[in-house]
Amino acid sequence: MAFLLPLAFIIVLFECVPLVSMIINSFLDGGQFTLDNFKQIIEKPIYMVAIKNSLWITILSTIVGLVIDFFLAMALSRKTGKKKTWYLSLLNLTSTFSGVPLTIAFITVLGTAGVFVLISQKIGFTPLSSYNLYSMRGMFIIYVYFQIPMGTLLLLPTFAKVKKEWKEAARLMNAGSIRFWLQIGIPVMMPGILGTFNMLFSNAIATYATPYLLVNNSISLLPVKIVDMFVGDVRQRPGLGSSLSIVLLVIVLVEIGLTNLCKKHFEKGMTK
């Protein structure tokens, strides 16, 4: 058991200690116990708007990304040999492309003076010529982008659960492809799909670098507000920042709890 001590030390130092410190600080203000930090979150619209904005862009980008991931993983599961290896390498590469490099790339392509925007303005393509990357709708495409590589890689193994024999039996019974996937394929894959949803949701709601570089504080988002409480240029408020972090943690835990309940339902159905 001695070989586990370094791992235990890392877990305590980098997970348990920060978590306990965050919980304690959320109930402190000037060294005194208080509930004012949570009261401010509820009463001040700026924090509620940040929570709503984060939930909106997270849930929507996760759902859209998951749909795209499903079809990409389906197509990739049918590939073999060098083509599949090449696609997997590309997905692994793009899954690490985030933060500052990703933001700069999208500004170069879809920013106010982005390549695609300028070309669209010259040819008169209105939907793209007036594209505003520095807005909630503009950021949405970036959120969807970094959901795709991770979600595809996570969903890919779940397609192995759908056996070829089931597809052949469905064809013999004159069941179409859509009916097969809706009644057999997707329900069998649902535990894996929900697990992927958990990862994508957690990944999106905690995203900080990209929205901070794009919109800073012009659009209220929960992760940006949390960081501002600790490294703000005007005033640092670690107590309020810890309270906002607790809110973020609760949102993620509630989402994971609900999806796990759904997973158990589908897993029970598979064992019957």
Side-chain angles (χ1 to χ4, degrees):
M1 296 297 290
F3 69 92
L4 292 176
L5 289 177
L7 178 61
F9 177 76
I10 291 174
I11 292 174
V12 171
L13 186 62
F14 292 102
E15 293 189 19
C16 297
V17 172
L19 178 61
V20 172
S21 176
M22 180 179 69
I23 294 172
I24 293 174
N25 286 332
S26 67
F27 293 100
L28 295 178
D29 187 13
Q32 301 294 323
F33 177 83
T34 181
L35 294 175
D36 287 346
N37 294 324
F38 292 99
K39 187 177 180 181
Q40 288 185 57
I41 294 173
I42 296 172
E43 293 181 348
K44 291 191 175 181
I46 187 170
Y47 300 122
M48 296 305 298
V49 169
I51 294 170
K52 291 177 182 177
N53 285 343
S54 292
L55 285 173
W56 177 85
I57 197 167
T58 296
I59 293 172
L60 197 58
S61 65
T62 300
I63 293 172
V64 173
L66 196 59
V67 172
I68 297 172
D69 295 336
F70 180 86
F71 290 105
L72 286 176
M74 178 190 291
L76 191 56
S77 66
R78 297 171 180 174
K79 298 290 182 181
T80 56
K82 292 183 178 180
K83 285 186 177 181
K84 186 172 184 178
T85 303
W86 188 86
Y87 287 131
L88 287 173
S89 300
L90 182 62
L91 287 171
N92 279 304
L93 179 64
T94 53
S95 65
T96 60
F97 188 63
S98 59
V100 177
L102 177 64
T103 306
I104 294 173
F106 269 92
I107 290 174
T108 304
V109 174
L110 291 173
T112 305
V115 176
F116 288 169
V117 173
L118 293 178
I119 292 174
S120 299
Q121 290 173 353
K122 287 187 177 182
I123 65 176
F125 185 60
T126 307
L128 198 55
S129 62
S130 58
Y131 187 81
N132 183 13
L133 184 64
Y134 312 101
S135 64
M136 284 289 287
R137 292 184 178 181
M139 284 194 302
F140 176 75
I141 191 173
I142 302 181
Y143 273 73
V144 172
Y145 170 84
F146 61 65
Q147 301 283 39
I148 292 174
M150 186 198 308
T152 304
L153 289 171
L154 291 173
L155 274 181
L156 188 58
T158 62
F159 277 88
K161 295 181 179 179
V162 182
K163 298 179 181 180
K164 293 181 180 180
E165 293 83 355
W166 298 348
K167 296 179 182 178
E168 293 172 357
R171 290 194 191 100
L172 291 173
M173 299 176 67
N174 294 324
S177 180
I178 295 176
R179 186 178 178 185
F180 169 79
W181 283 107
L182 290 177
Q183 296 186 357
I184 300 174
I186 292 178
V188 169
M189 294 174 58
M190 191 56 70
I193 292 174
L194 291 173
T196 303
F197 184 90
N198 280 342
M199 292 295 296
L200 297 183
F201 183 93
S202 302
N203 179 51
I205 200 167
T207 296
Y208 161 70
T210 298
Y212 182 80
L213 291 171
L214 277 179
V215 298
N216 201 343
N217 281 313
S218 61
I219 296 177
S220 294
L221 290 171
L222 188 53
V224 176
K225 290 298 178 186
I226 291 172
V227 175
D228 282 346
M229 295 299 108
F230 292 97
V231 294
D233 296 330
V234 180
R235 182 187 176 190
Q236 296 182 8
R237 305 179 67 183
L240 184 56
S242 297
S243 300
L244 289 169
S245 300
I246 294 294
V247 172
L248 178 60
L249 179 62
V250 169
I251 290 172
V252 173
L253 290 177
V254 169
E255 183 274 331
I256 292 174
L258 291 175
T259 51
N260 282 342
L261 287 174
C262 294
K263 282 174 66 177
K264 288 181 180 179
H265 170 74
F266 283 100
E267 287 170 352
K268 285 180 180 179
M270 291 173 60
T271 56
K272 288 182 179 179

PDB file of all heavy atoms in Angstrom, residues 4-35:
ATOM      1  N   LEU A   4       0.844   3.768  -2.888  1.00  0.00           N
ATOM      2  CA  LEU A   4      -0.306   4.651  -3.079  1.00  0.00           C
ATOM      3  C   LEU A   4      -0.162   5.981  -2.332  1.00  0.00           C
ATOM      4  O   LEU A   4      -0.953   6.901  -2.553  1.00  0.00           O
ATOM      5  CB  LEU A   4      -1.595   3.958  -2.625  1.00  0.00           C
ATOM      6  CG  LEU A   4      -2.071   2.762  -3.469  1.00  0.00           C
ATOM      7  CD1 LEU A   4      -3.289   2.130  -2.827  1.00  0.00           C
ATOM      8  CD2 LEU A   4      -2.389   3.198  -4.889  1.00  0.00           C
ATOM      9  N   LEU A   5       0.823   6.068  -1.462  1.00  0.00           N
ATOM     10  CA  LEU A   5       1.000   7.278  -0.654  1.00  0.00           C
ATOM     11  C   LEU A   5       1.245   8.535  -1.499  1.00  0.00           C
ATOM     12  O   LEU A   5       0.660   9.585  -1.209  1.00  0.00           O
ATOM     13  CB  LEU A   5       2.140   7.074   0.352  1.00  0.00           C
ATOM     14  CG  LEU A   5       1.840   6.114   1.508  1.00  0.00           C
ATOM     15  CD1 LEU A   5       3.065   5.945   2.392  1.00  0.00           C
ATOM     16  CD2 LEU A   5       0.651   6.615   2.324  1.00  0.00           C
ATOM     17  N   PRO A   6       2.098   8.478  -2.545  1.00  0.00           N
ATOM     18  CA  PRO A   6       2.266   9.689  -3.370  1.00  0.00           C
ATOM     19  C   PRO A   6       0.970  10.148  -4.021  1.00  0.00           C
ATOM     20  O   PRO A   6       0.681  11.346  -4.064  1.00  0.00           O
ATOM     21  CB  PRO A   6       3.296   9.252  -4.427  1.00  0.00           C
ATOM     22  CG  PRO A   6       4.037   8.129  -3.789  1.00  0.00           C
ATOM     23  CD  PRO A   6       3.026   7.414  -2.948  1.00  0.00           C
ATOM     24  N   LEU A   7       0.179   9.184  -4.499  1.00  0.00           N
ATOM     25  CA  LEU A   7      -1.112   9.525  -5.110  1.00  0.00           C
ATOM     26  C   LEU A   7      -2.048  10.136  -4.088  1.00  0.00           C
ATOM     27  O   LEU A   7      -2.723  11.140  -4.353  1.00  0.00           O
ATOM     28  CB  LEU A   7      -1.749   8.279  -5.731  1.00  0.00           C
ATOM     29  CG  LEU A   7      -3.137   8.471  -6.362  1.00  0.00           C
ATOM     30  CD1 LEU A   7      -3.083   9.483  -7.494  1.00  0.00           C
ATOM     31  CD2 LEU A   7      -3.677   7.132  -6.869  1.00  0.00           C
ATOM     32  N   ALA A   8      -2.091   9.538  -2.883  1.00  0.00           N
ATOM     33  CA  ALA A   8      -2.946  10.061  -1.815  1.00  0.00           C
ATOM     34  C   ALA A   8      -2.514  11.476  -1.429  1.00  0.00           C
ATOM     35  O   ALA A   8      -3.356  12.350  -1.178  1.00  0.00           O
ATOM     36  CB  ALA A   8      -2.888   9.132  -0.605  1.00  0.00           C
ATOM     37  N   PHE A   9      -1.215  11.702  -1.399  1.00  0.00           N
ATOM     38  CA  PHE A   9      -0.689  13.028  -1.056  1.00  0.00           C
ATOM     39  C   PHE A   9      -1.126  14.062  -2.089  1.00  0.00           C
ATOM     40  O   PHE A   9      -1.544  15.181  -1.742  1.00  0.00           O
ATOM     41  CB  PHE A   9       0.839  12.976  -0.976  1.00  0.00           C
ATOM     42  CG  PHE A   9       1.478  14.311  -0.708  1.00  0.00           C
ATOM     43  CD1 PHE A   9       1.451  14.872   0.553  1.00  0.00           C
ATOM     44  CD2 PHE A   9       2.096  15.004  -1.740  1.00  0.00           C
ATOM     45  CE1 PHE A   9       2.034  16.111   0.792  1.00  0.00           C
ATOM     46  CE2 PHE A   9       2.681  16.241  -1.519  1.00  0.00           C
ATOM     47  CZ  PHE A   9       2.652  16.791  -0.245  1.00  0.00           C
ATOM     48  N   ILE A  10      -1.056  13.702  -3.358  1.00  0.00           N
ATOM     49  CA  ILE A  10      -1.457  14.619  -4.437  1.00  0.00           C
ATOM     50  C   ILE A  10      -2.951  14.921  -4.355  1.00  0.00           C
ATOM     51  O   ILE A  10      -3.381  16.067  -4.511  1.00  0.00           O
ATOM     52  CB  ILE A  10      -1.098  14.005  -5.811  1.00  0.00           C
ATOM     53  CG1 ILE A  10       0.422  13.964  -5.976  1.00  0.00           C
ATOM     54  CG2 ILE A  10      -1.734  14.819  -6.941  1.00  0.00           C
ATOM     55  CD1 ILE A  10       0.879  13.246  -7.221  1.00  0.00           C
ATOM     56  N   ILE A  11      -3.762  13.882  -4.085  1.00  0.00           N
ATOM     57  CA  ILE A  11      -5.216  14.076  -3.978  1.00  0.00           C
ATOM     58  C   ILE A  11      -5.557  15.017  -2.833  1.00  0.00           C
ATOM     59  O   ILE A  11      -6.372  15.935  -2.964  1.00  0.00           O
ATOM     60  CB  ILE A  11      -5.921  12.718  -3.801  1.00  0.00           C
ATOM     61  CG1 ILE A  11      -5.794  11.877  -5.079  1.00  0.00           C
ATOM     62  CG2 ILE A  11      -7.400  12.915  -3.453  1.00  0.00           C
ATOM     63  CD1 ILE A  11      -6.325  10.475  -4.949  1.00  0.00           C
ATOM     64  N   VAL A  12      -4.922  14.796  -1.685  1.00  0.00           N
ATOM     65  CA  VAL A  12      -5.184  15.643  -0.514  1.00  0.00           C
ATOM     66  C   VAL A  12      -4.737  17.075  -0.772  1.00  0.00           C
ATOM     67  O   VAL A  12      -5.453  18.036  -0.468  1.00  0.00           O
ATOM     68  CB  VAL A  12      -4.470  15.069   0.736  1.00  0.00           C
ATOM     69  CG1 VAL A  12      -4.559  16.066   1.896  1.00  0.00           C
ATOM     70  CG2 VAL A  12      -5.101  13.743   1.133  1.00  0.00           C
ATOM     71  N   LEU A  13      -3.540  17.228  -1.357  1.00  0.00           N
ATOM     72  CA  LEU A  13      -2.950  18.556  -1.538  1.00  0.00           C
ATOM     73  C   LEU A  13      -3.669  19.376  -2.594  1.00  0.00           C
ATOM     74  O   LEU A  13      -3.897  20.574  -2.419  1.00  0.00           O
ATOM     75  CB  LEU A  13      -1.471  18.413  -1.901  1.00  0.00           C
ATOM     76  CG  LEU A  13      -0.662  19.718  -1.979  1.00  0.00           C
ATOM     77  CD1 LEU A  13      -0.639  20.411  -0.618  1.00  0.00           C
ATOM     78  CD2 LEU A  13       0.762  19.430  -2.447  1.00  0.00           C
ATOM     79  N   PHE A  14      -4.052  18.729  -3.704  1.00  0.00           N
ATOM     80  CA  PHE A  14      -4.590  19.487  -4.839  1.00  0.00           C
ATOM     81  C   PHE A  14      -6.101  19.382  -4.990  1.00  0.00           C
ATOM     82  O   PHE A  14      -6.678  20.076  -5.836  1.00  0.00           O
ATOM     83  CB  PHE A  14      -3.919  19.031  -6.138  1.00  0.00           C
ATOM     84  CG  PHE A  14      -2.460  19.399  -6.217  1.00  0.00           C
ATOM     85  CD1 PHE A  14      -1.487  18.452  -5.971  1.00  0.00           C
ATOM     86  CD2 PHE A  14      -2.079  20.692  -6.506  1.00  0.00           C
ATOM     87  CE1 PHE A  14      -0.139  18.786  -6.027  1.00  0.00           C
ATOM     88  CE2 PHE A  14      -0.735  21.037  -6.568  1.00  0.00           C
ATOM     89  CZ  PHE A  14       0.242  20.081  -6.333  1.00  0.00           C
ATOM     90  N   GLU A  15      -6.761  18.530  -4.205  1.00  0.00           N
ATOM     91  CA  GLU A  15      -8.213  18.411  -4.306  1.00  0.00           C
ATOM     92  C   GLU A  15      -8.907  18.665  -2.970  1.00  0.00           C
ATOM     93  O   GLU A  15      -9.785  19.519  -2.879  1.00  0.00           O
ATOM     94  CB  GLU A  15      -8.596  17.031  -4.853  1.00  0.00           C
ATOM     95  CG  GLU A  15      -8.159  16.820  -6.297  1.00  0.00           C
ATOM     96  CD  GLU A  15      -8.718  15.549  -6.907  1.00  0.00           C
ATOM     97  OE1 GLU A  15      -9.711  15.024  -6.372  1.00  0.00           O
ATOM     98  OE2 GLU A  15      -8.164  15.077  -7.909  1.00  0.00           O
ATOM     99  N   CYS A  16      -8.514  17.920  -1.956  1.00  0.00           N
ATOM    100  CA  CYS A  16      -9.195  18.040  -0.660  1.00  0.00           C
ATOM    101  C   CYS A  16      -8.941  19.386   0.005  1.00  0.00           C
ATOM    102  O   CYS A  16      -9.877  20.045   0.483  1.00  0.00           O
ATOM    103  CB  CYS A  16      -8.761  16.898   0.264  1.00  0.00           C
ATOM    104  SG  CYS A  16      -9.213  15.259  -0.342  1.00  0.00           S
ATOM    105  N   VAL A  17      -7.686  19.809   0.069  1.00  0.00           N
ATOM    106  CA  VAL A  17      -7.347  21.077   0.722  1.00  0.00           C
ATOM    107  C   VAL A  17      -8.022  22.260   0.030  1.00  0.00           C
ATOM    108  O   VAL A  17      -8.647  23.096   0.699  1.00  0.00           O
ATOM    109  CB  VAL A  17      -5.814  21.269   0.795  1.00  0.00           C
ATOM    110  CG1 VAL A  17      -5.473  22.674   1.297  1.00  0.00           C
ATOM    111  CG2 VAL A  17      -5.185  20.222   1.698  1.00  0.00           C
ATOM    112  N   PRO A  18      -7.929  22.399  -1.314  1.00  0.00           N
ATOM    113  CA  PRO A  18      -8.638  23.512  -1.960  1.00  0.00           C
ATOM    114  C   PRO A  18     -10.152  23.468  -1.765  1.00  0.00           C
ATOM    115  O   PRO A  18     -10.779  24.519  -1.593  1.00  0.00           O
ATOM    116  CB  PRO A  18      -8.284  23.337  -3.449  1.00  0.00           C
ATOM    117  CG  PRO A  18      -7.013  22.573  -3.451  1.00  0.00           C
ATOM    118  CD  PRO A  18      -7.114  21.648  -2.281  1.00  0.00           C
ATOM    119  N   LEU A  19     -10.747  22.264  -1.774  1.00  0.00           N
ATOM    120  CA  LEU A  19     -12.190  22.141  -1.595  1.00  0.00           C
ATOM    121  C   LEU A  19     -12.606  22.602  -0.199  1.00  0.00           C
ATOM    122  O   LEU A  19     -13.559  23.387  -0.055  1.00  0.00           O
ATOM    123  CB  LEU A  19     -12.629  20.697  -1.824  1.00  0.00           C
ATOM    124  CG  LEU A  19     -14.121  20.401  -1.624  1.00  0.00           C
ATOM    125  CD1 LEU A  19     -14.963  21.225  -2.596  1.00  0.00           C
ATOM    126  CD2 LEU A  19     -14.410  18.911  -1.794  1.00  0.00           C
ATOM    127  N   VAL A  20     -11.902  22.136   0.823  1.00  0.00           N
ATOM    128  CA  VAL A  20     -12.214  22.530   2.203  1.00  0.00           C
ATOM    129  C   VAL A  20     -12.015  24.034   2.386  1.00  0.00           C
ATOM    130  O   VAL A  20     -12.837  24.724   3.004  1.00  0.00           O
ATOM    131  CB  VAL A  20     -11.356  21.734   3.199  1.00  0.00           C
ATOM    132  CG1 VAL A  20     -11.546  22.273   4.619  1.00  0.00           C
ATOM    133  CG2 VAL A  20     -11.698  20.254   3.154  1.00  0.00           C
ATOM    134  N   SER A  21     -10.919  24.550   1.818  1.00  0.00           N
ATOM    135  CA  SER A  21     -10.648  25.983   1.909  1.00  0.00           C
ATOM    136  C   SER A  21     -11.737  26.803   1.226  1.00  0.00           C
ATOM    137  O   SER A  21     -12.162  27.842   1.749  1.00  0.00           O
ATOM    138  CB  SER A  21      -9.285  26.282   1.273  1.00  0.00           C
ATOM    139  OG  SER A  21      -9.032  27.675   1.258  1.00  0.00           O
ATOM    140  N   MET A  22     -12.219  26.331   0.077  1.00  0.00           N
ATOM    141  CA  MET A  22     -13.271  27.026  -0.650  1.00  0.00           C
ATOM    142  C   MET A  22     -14.568  27.053   0.160  1.00  0.00           C
ATOM    143  O   MET A  22     -15.238  28.092   0.238  1.00  0.00           O
ATOM    144  CB  MET A  22     -13.498  26.346  -2.004  1.00  0.00           C
ATOM    145  CG  MET A  22     -14.575  26.962  -2.861  1.00  0.00           C
ATOM    146  SD  MET A  22     -14.750  26.101  -4.446  1.00  0.00           S
ATOM    147  CE  MET A  22     -15.430  24.523  -3.884  1.00  0.00           C
ATOM    148  N   ILE A  23     -14.916  25.940   0.763  1.00  0.00           N
ATOM    149  CA  ILE A  23     -16.136  25.863   1.560  1.00  0.00           C
ATOM    150  C   ILE A  23     -16.059  26.798   2.762  1.00  0.00           C
ATOM    151  O   ILE A  23     -17.015  27.525   3.076  1.00  0.00           O
ATOM    152  CB  ILE A  23     -16.399  24.416   2.013  1.00  0.00           C
ATOM    153  CG1 ILE A  23     -16.703  23.532   0.797  1.00  0.00           C
ATOM    154  CG2 ILE A  23     -17.572  24.355   3.000  1.00  0.00           C
ATOM    155  CD1 ILE A  23     -16.790  22.054   1.114  1.00  0.00           C
ATOM    156  N   ILE A  24     -14.910  26.797   3.429  1.00  0.00           N
ATOM    157  CA  ILE A  24     -14.749  27.655   4.616  1.00  0.00           C
ATOM    158  C   ILE A  24     -14.812  29.124   4.219  1.00  0.00           C
ATOM    159  O   ILE A  24     -15.508  29.932   4.857  1.00  0.00           O
ATOM    160  CB  ILE A  24     -13.411  27.339   5.322  1.00  0.00           C
ATOM    161  CG1 ILE A  24     -13.464  25.929   5.918  1.00  0.00           C
ATOM    162  CG2 ILE A  24     -13.127  28.371   6.426  1.00  0.00           C
ATOM    163  CD1 ILE A  24     -12.137  25.457   6.505  1.00  0.00           C
ATOM    164  N   ASN A  25     -14.091  29.511   3.157  1.00  0.00           N
ATOM    165  CA  ASN A  25     -14.044  30.911   2.734  1.00  0.00           C
ATOM    166  C   ASN A  25     -15.394  31.418   2.251  1.00  0.00           C
ATOM    167  O   ASN A  25     -15.669  32.620   2.315  1.00  0.00           O
ATOM    168  CB  ASN A  25     -13.010  31.088   1.624  1.00  0.00           C
ATOM    169  CG  ASN A  25     -11.589  31.019   2.142  1.00  0.00           C
ATOM    170  OD1 ASN A  25     -11.326  31.341   3.300  1.00  0.00           O
ATOM    171  ND2 ASN A  25     -10.659  30.592   1.292  1.00  0.00           N
ATOM    172  N   SER A  26     -16.240  30.512   1.758  1.00  0.00           N
ATOM    173  CA  SER A  26     -17.546  30.944   1.266  1.00  0.00           C
ATOM    174  C   SER A  26     -18.444  31.466   2.385  1.00  0.00           C
ATOM    175  O   SER A  26     -19.401  32.200   2.123  1.00  0.00           O
ATOM    176  CB  SER A  26     -18.244  29.789   0.533  1.00  0.00           C
ATOM    177  OG  SER A  26     -18.578  28.744   1.432  1.00  0.00           O
ATOM    178  N   PHE A  27     -18.129  31.079   3.609  1.00  0.00           N
ATOM    179  CA  PHE A  27     -18.922  31.533   4.764  1.00  0.00           C
ATOM    180  C   PHE A  27     -18.193  32.575   5.594  1.00  0.00           C
ATOM    181  O   PHE A  27     -18.562  32.843   6.741  1.00  0.00           O
ATOM    182  CB  PHE A  27     -19.282  30.340   5.659  1.00  0.00           C
ATOM    183  CG  PHE A  27     -20.217  29.360   5.019  1.00  0.00           C
ATOM    184  CD1 PHE A  27     -19.730  28.183   4.466  1.00  0.00           C
ATOM    185  CD2 PHE A  27     -21.577  29.620   4.938  1.00  0.00           C
ATOM    186  CE1 PHE A  27     -20.585  27.270   3.870  1.00  0.00           C
ATOM    187  CE2 PHE A  27     -22.436  28.718   4.338  1.00  0.00           C
ATOM    188  CZ  PHE A  27     -21.932  27.540   3.796  1.00  0.00           C
ATOM    189  N   LEU A  28     -17.138  33.164   5.023  1.00  0.00           N
ATOM    190  CA  LEU A  28     -16.363  34.164   5.745  1.00  0.00           C
ATOM    191  C   LEU A  28     -16.343  35.489   5.003  1.00  0.00           C
ATOM    192  O   LEU A  28     -16.347  35.522   3.770  1.00  0.00           O
ATOM    193  CB  LEU A  28     -14.921  33.690   5.949  1.00  0.00           C
ATOM    194  CG  LEU A  28     -14.686  32.459   6.832  1.00  0.00           C
ATOM    195  CD1 LEU A  28     -13.214  32.112   6.872  1.00  0.00           C
ATOM    196  CD2 LEU A  28     -15.225  32.684   8.248  1.00  0.00           C
ATOM    197  N   ASP A  29     -16.321  36.576   5.753  1.00  0.00           N
ATOM    198  CA  ASP A  29     -16.161  37.916   5.200  1.00  0.00           C
ATOM    199  C   ASP A  29     -15.431  38.750   6.243  1.00  0.00           C
ATOM    200  O   ASP A  29     -15.977  39.084   7.294  1.00  0.00           O
ATOM    201  CB  ASP A  29     -17.514  38.549   4.870  1.00  0.00           C
ATOM    202  CG  ASP A  29     -17.357  39.875   4.148  1.00  0.00           C
ATOM    203  OD1 ASP A  29     -16.235  40.168   3.703  1.00  0.00           O
ATOM    204  OD2 ASP A  29     -18.351  40.608   4.017  1.00  0.00           O
ATOM    205  N   GLY A  30     -14.182  39.058   5.949  1.00  0.00           N
ATOM    206  CA  GLY A  30     -13.364  39.776   6.925  1.00  0.00           C
ATOM    207  C   GLY A  30     -13.049  38.944   8.151  1.00  0.00           C
ATOM    208  O   GLY A  30     -12.887  39.495   9.240  1.00  0.00           O
ATOM    209  N   GLY A  31     -13.002  37.635   7.971  1.00  0.00           N
ATOM    210  CA  GLY A  31     -12.695  36.741   9.089  1.00  0.00           C
ATOM    211  C   GLY A  31     -13.891  36.397   9.949  1.00  0.00           C
ATOM    212  O   GLY A  31     -13.762  35.636  10.908  1.00  0.00           O
ATOM    213  N   GLN A  32     -15.069  36.907   9.616  1.00  0.00           N
ATOM    214  CA  GLN A  32     -16.280  36.659  10.392  1.00  0.00           C
ATOM    215  C   GLN A  32     -17.235  35.755   9.615  1.00  0.00           C
ATOM    216  O   GLN A  32     -17.363  35.866   8.388  1.00  0.00           O
ATOM    217  CB  GLN A  32     -16.986  37.988  10.718  1.00  0.00           C
ATOM    218  CG  GLN A  32     -16.137  38.965  11.516  1.00  0.00           C
ATOM    219  CD  GLN A  32     -15.832  38.451  12.913  1.00  0.00           C
ATOM    220  OE1 GLN A  32     -16.674  37.812  13.555  1.00  0.00           O
ATOM    221  NE2 GLN A  32     -14.615  38.723  13.401  1.00  0.00           N
ATOM    222  N   PHE A  33     -17.914  34.873  10.347  1.00  0.00           N
ATOM    223  CA  PHE A  33     -18.894  33.982   9.716  1.00  0.00           C
ATOM    224  C   PHE A  33     -20.072  34.799   9.198  1.00  0.00           C
ATOM    225  O   PHE A  33     -20.600  35.677   9.888  1.00  0.00           O
ATOM    226  CB  PHE A  33     -19.398  32.955  10.725  1.00  0.00           C
ATOM    227  CG  PHE A  33     -20.477  32.054  10.158  1.00  0.00           C
ATOM    228  CD1 PHE A  33     -20.137  30.943   9.406  1.00  0.00           C
ATOM    229  CD2 PHE A  33     -21.823  32.335  10.368  1.00  0.00           C
ATOM    230  CE1 PHE A  33     -21.120  30.118   8.876  1.00  0.00           C
ATOM    231  CE2 PHE A  33     -22.805  31.521   9.847  1.00  0.00           C
ATOM    232  CZ  PHE A  33     -22.445  30.402   9.093  1.00  0.00           C
ATOM    233  N   THR A  34     -20.493  34.509   7.967  1.00  0.00           N
ATOM    234  CA  THR A  34     -21.596  35.245   7.354  1.00  0.00           C
ATOM    235  C   THR A  34     -22.214  34.428   6.224  1.00  0.00           C
ATOM    236  O   THR A  34     -21.567  33.546   5.642  1.00  0.00           O
ATOM    237  CB  THR A  34     -21.107  36.601   6.789  1.00  0.00           C
ATOM    238  OG1 THR A  34     -22.218  37.304   6.227  1.00  0.00           O
ATOM    239  CG2 THR A  34     -20.056  36.390   5.720  1.00  0.00           C
ATOM    240  N   LEU A  35     -23.465  34.757   5.942  1.00  0.00           N
ATOM    241  CA  LEU A  35     -24.161  34.173   4.786  1.00  0.00           C
ATOM    242  C   LEU A  35     -24.390  35.218   3.699  1.00  0.00           C
ATOM    243  O   LEU A  35     -25.088  34.962   2.726  1.00  0.00           O
ATOM    244  CB  LEU A  35     -25.517  33.595   5.224  1.00  0.00           C
ATOM    245  CG  LEU A  35     -25.463  32.392   6.177  1.00  0.00           C
ATOM    246  CD1 LEU A  35     -26.876  32.017   6.621  1.00  0.00           C
ATOM    247  CD2 LEU A  35     -24.784  31.197   5.524  1.00  0.00           C
TER     248      LEU A  35
END
